[in-house]
Amino acid sequence: MAKPGLGKGLGALISGVQAAADKIEFENAPEIATLPSENGVLMVDIRKVEPSPTQPRQYFNEEALEELAESMKTFGIIQPLLVTAEGDHYIIIAGERRYRAARKAQLTQVPVIVKDYTEMEVLQVALIENIQRQDLTSIEEATCYKRLMDDFFFSAEDVAAKLGKSKHAVTNSMYLLDLTPRAQSLAAEGKLTASHAKVLLSLGDDDLQEEAAKKIAEVGLSVRETEAMVASVLKAVAKKAKGAVQPDADAQRAKENAEKALRSAENELKHLLGSRVNIIPGPKKSKIEIEYYSNEDLERLMDLLRLLQ
């Protein structure tokens, strides 16, 4: 299946925009949209701009947003938002962080570049733009990789090539998504790495995984130290399991040996008496049943037993 070629990042999409948009002043701009500049930058009413419902980013640092908002009050928005038109509104493809800061700064208009993308292309650009930012959490980054793979049928090699990353970095990142929610939270806080996640997943049990993840976060264990800890935990679990199973195994073995002894005794009595013999064990007393088939057979058995006196 052919994949849309967006190249590495958004450079090809918005080349030349940064310089053209430097220090745009619009505090007293009218509420309506202005005509686009030579470089395609359009000033629009911020109320007509909306975040994308498929926005990959989930976490926005409030302190960083406040700092950006203060800067915007002085210099405006340096880099325009990348948007697509939907009716009389605009959906953000890239730049939601700038949009949020602009609202905090109480700006009435924002500079945008309008691109005519399909829904799939919008998501792809948003994912790639977000991944290339440095302040994504590791979980958000891994989620972006997964969506590129699931929604666009990219392989790990495709994702790595588009983003200028190694295939190893992409595949390792995916381990984070298999962690428990609590362990993922620690990863999002930067307390667990993808390499830690790969080791933790060998534990299998969710409770053990979360307990180990908590210790890594609290102590700051390296990956090598985590491997040693996990190996120790697995060894202890195996030992405990063996101790729990051993008594049952011994009891089963003893039962099987007792049954074999009874069958052997039954066969020996059968050959000795020439009749079918059943040995019936009981908790306090047991019994032996000897079958006979006529009065003459009973007399025969009596004669044999008398010989044993």
Side-chain angles (χ1 to χ4, degrees):
M1 179 177 178
K3 306 176 184 73
L6 295 179
K8 294 183 179 179
L10 299 178
L13 297 172
I14 55 174
S15 58
V17 170
Q18 173 97 30
D22 277 354
K23 297 187 179 179
I24 295 175
E25 299 289 347
F26 52 92
E27 290 183 62
N28 298 314
E31 293 287 327
I32 60 173
T34 62
L35 294 174
S37 69
E38 293 180 0
N39 289 284
V41 179
L42 179 70
M43 296 300 298
V44 301
D45 188 331
I46 195 170
R47 293 172 297 183
K48 291 183 176 292
V49 179
E50 300 174 2
S52 169
T54 59
Q55 161 65 258
R57 183 188 297 272
Q58 300 298 318
Y59 172 74
F60 292 86
N61 185 296
E62 288 299 320
E63 185 176 345
L65 283 178
E66 290 290 351
E67 291 177 0
L68 183 57
E70 287 302 314
S71 174
M72 286 181 176
K73 289 177 182 178
T74 303
F75 300 106
I77 299 181
I78 305 301
Q79 183 179 347
L81 283 62
L82 190 63
V83 301
T84 186
E86 189 171 294
D88 63 347
H89 282 66
Y90 301 93
I91 305 301
I92 299 172
I93 301 172
E96 183 173 341
R97 179 171 173 272
R98 276 162 276 154
Y99 164 79
R100 287 174 177 250
R103 289 183 66 91
K104 283 182 176 293
Q106 298 184 334
L107 301 183
T108 59
Q109 290 191 318
V110 290
V112 302
I113 295 176
V114 183
K115 290 289 183 178
D116 184 19
Y117 287 141
T118 65
E119 185 178 347
M120 293 291 277
E121 288 173 328
V122 167
L123 177 58
Q124 186 177 352
V125 174
L127 288 168
I128 291 175
E129 192 267 352
N130 273 284
I131 291 172
Q132 289 183 323
R133 297 193 62 84
Q134 296 299 311
D135 55 349
L136 271 186
T137 71
S138 58
I139 296 297
E140 288 172 335
E141 185 173 341
T143 301
C144 286
Y145 294 156
K146 187 175 187 303
R147 290 183 68 178
L148 284 171
M149 294 178 186
D150 292 348
D151 297 345
F152 300 103
F153 307 101
F154 284 5
S155 65
E157 290 90 342
D158 295 331
V159 174
K162 277 195 174 289
L163 299 170
K165 295 178 179 284
S166 70
K167 177 186 173 183
H168 177 75
V170 173
T171 53
N172 253 21
S173 179
M174 303 296 286
Y175 288 118
L176 291 164
L177 302 181
D178 292 325
L179 294 174
T180 64
R182 175 53 186 152
Q184 284 192 26
S185 296
L186 293 173
E189 293 170 16
K191 297 176 181 178
L192 298 178
T193 67
S195 296
H196 283 119
K198 185 176 181 180
V199 178
L200 286 174
L201 291 174
S202 63
L203 286 171
D205 182 84
D206 287 355
D207 291 336
L208 289 177
Q209 183 191 120
E210 291 192 355
E211 186 177 341
K214 183 179 178 181
K215 185 170 183 180
I216 293 169
E218 289 177 348
V219 181
L221 296 179
S222 67
V223 175
R224 188 173 295 276
E225 289 169 331
T226 300
E227 289 173 344
M229 177 185 68
V230 167
S232 177
V233 170
L234 290 174
K235 185 177 180 180
V237 169
K239 184 177 180 181
K240 183 178 179 181
K242 184 178 179 181
V245 172
Q246 192 66 39
D248 291 340
D250 289 343
Q252 182 64 27
R253 194 177 301 111
K255 181 180 179 181
E256 290 174 356
N257 290 338
E259 289 177 351
K260 288 179 181 179
L262 289 176
R263 300 294 83 81
S264 178
E266 285 177 345
N267 287 330
E268 188 173 349
L269 286 171
K270 178 181 177 181
H271 291 299
L272 179 63
L273 300 175
S275 293
R276 184 173 179 177
V277 177
N278 293 318
I279 299 176
I280 304 172
K284 294 185 178 180
K285 62 179 181 179
S286 303
K287 60 182 178 179
I288 299 174
E289 292 181 346
I290 303 172
E291 294 182 1
Y292 67 95
Y293 309 101
S294 65
N295 289 336
E296 290 78 9
D297 196 26
L298 177 58
E299 285 296 331
R300 180 186 63 81
L301 289 170
M302 292 296 292
D303 289 341
L304 286 172
L305 292 175
R306 289 188 188 104
L307 291 174
L308 298 175
Q309 291 180 348

